[in-house]
Amino acid sequence: MLKKITLFLLIGTIIGCGSSKPAIVTTKQPVGWKYSKPIQNTSSDNTSKSTAPSASTTSKPLTVNEATKAYIAQYNTVAMSNMKLYGIPASIILAQGILESGAGKGDLAMNANNHFGIKCHNDWTGNKVYKDDDSPNECFRKYSQASESYQDHALLLTGKKRYANLFALPRGDYKAWAKGLREAGYATDPKYPEKLISYIETYNLNQYDNKVLGKITKDESKVLIEDNFGIDETSLYEIQKGDTLYSVSKKFNLTVEELKQKNNLIDNALYVGQKLVVK
């Protein structure tokens, strides 16, 4: 009898252990997972070798010198136009544009089309952006396109009494203009005149003053800075005697406004030999 009881208890224990079998823990990875050693980034733009390069990484960025030349090529026409209309040397306009906008790459130029660092002032009713400058969170003017910034710059200088003495200077005297702007309070930087003059002389910007004044020299006709740096010659049209914006726009199936926007023109004035982007 004792043997039967012992056998019965043993069978019950075996059955009990089977019914309380612990959950299985597995170290097997999910289906489709495969371990691979991470690829070490060695390129300067932090993209791995396994990633196809984007367009921005395959195109070589412009150097500061090239960006400045491209800026001059893009805006020399509007600068010369403003010199004719308002009497501000084209060289000064371009130098200020380069300096104030970082050759078009600065925050204000990129986000607000403001190329001259012009603040809102009390009379400004247009769009605005805010940026730290001499004081935190200062108000700056925002434009829909860069040519409006160039026009507003001209209107600012011609409309404020403190700049009146500048217009009594000899036309094209960029050194006197650079010093006069600082004295009139355009900028607080004591080296502002030297910076403007440096840009003008490094990039021969006074050639544009001489074009407007009809004083181009043989040396200046051979300058290395092309009026349309980086623009395909097949996209340009050279103005001939008798051409008007209307006639040129019709020739290339554009509206006058489209032609003006392509070339940052703020008026309809043209001169023989001027090159316009038409494509």
Side-chain angles (χ1 to χ4, degrees), residues 154-215:
L155 294 176
L156 176 73
L157 295 186
T158 55
K160 299 284 186 182
K161 289 183 179 180
R162 58 179 171 157
Y163 299 117
N165 290 338
L166 295 172
F167 295 90
L169 298 171
R171 296 193 72 191
D173 189 346
Y174 63 85
K175 290 184 179 179
W177 264 83
K179 294 172 183 175
L181 282 168
R182 170 70 180 86
E183 291 169 358
Y186 191 97
T188 56
D189 183 357
K191 294 186 177 180
Y192 195 75
E194 289 86 345
K195 290 178 180 178
L196 295 182
I197 292 169
S198 177
Y199 277 122
I200 292 169
E201 296 183 346
T202 298
Y203 293 98
N204 196 21
L205 299 183
N206 62 314
Q207 66 173 302
Y208 301 110
D209 298 341
N210 292 336
K211 278 187 178 182
V212 174
L213 299 173
K215 300 193 302 185

Side-chain angles (χ1 to χ4, degrees), residues 107-207:
D107 289 342
L108 281 176
M110 298 290 287
N111 300 324
N113 284 313
N114 188 332
H115 285 236
F116 296 92
I118 300 177
K119 297 179 181 179
C120 294
H121 306 304
N122 295 332
D123 57 348
W124 178 248
T125 58
N127 292 327
K128 305 169 183 178
V129 294
Y130 295 86
K131 184 178 182 296
D132 292 348
D133 193 54
D134 295 326
S135 301
N137 205 35
E138 291 198 74
C139 182
F140 288 86
R141 302 182 184 190
K142 181 178 181 179
Y143 309 95
S144 60
Q145 56 190 29
S147 59
E148 293 177 5
S149 176
Y150 271 75
Q151 185 173 30
D152 203 30
H153 169 259
L155 294 176
L156 176 73
L157 295 186
T158 55
K160 299 284 186 182
K161 289 183 179 180
R162 58 179 171 157
Y163 299 117
N165 290 338
L166 295 172
F167 295 90
L169 298 171
R171 296 193 72 191
D173 189 346
Y174 63 85
K175 290 184 179 179
W177 264 83
K179 294 172 183 175
L181 282 168
R182 170 70 180 86
E183 291 169 358
Y186 191 97
T188 56
D189 183 357
K191 294 186 177 180
Y192 195 75
E194 289 86 345
K195 290 178 180 178
L196 295 182
I197 292 169
S198 177
Y199 277 122
I200 292 169
E201 296 183 346
T202 298
Y203 293 98
N204 196 21
L205 299 183
N206 62 314
Q207 66 173 302

Side-chain angles (χ1 to χ4, degrees), residues 210-242:
N210 292 336
K211 278 187 178 182
V212 174
L213 299 173
K215 300 193 302 185
I216 288 293
T217 67
K218 289 182 179 180
D219 289 339
E220 285 171 331
S221 67
K222 299 176 182 178
V223 291
L224 296 177
I225 301 174
E226 298 295 337
D227 279 357
N228 293 283
F229 176 86
I231 299 175
D232 188 347
E233 284 292 326
T234 60
S235 301
L236 301 174
Y237 173 75
E238 186 171 335
I239 298 299
Q240 310 295 316
K241 186 176 181 180

Side-chain angles (χ1 to χ4, degrees), residues 254-265:
L254 297 167
T255 65
V256 170
E257 188 58 33
E258 286 172 337
L259 189 59
K260 290 174 74 171
Q261 287 186 6
K262 280 179 178 290
N263 293 276
N264 297 298
L265 300 176

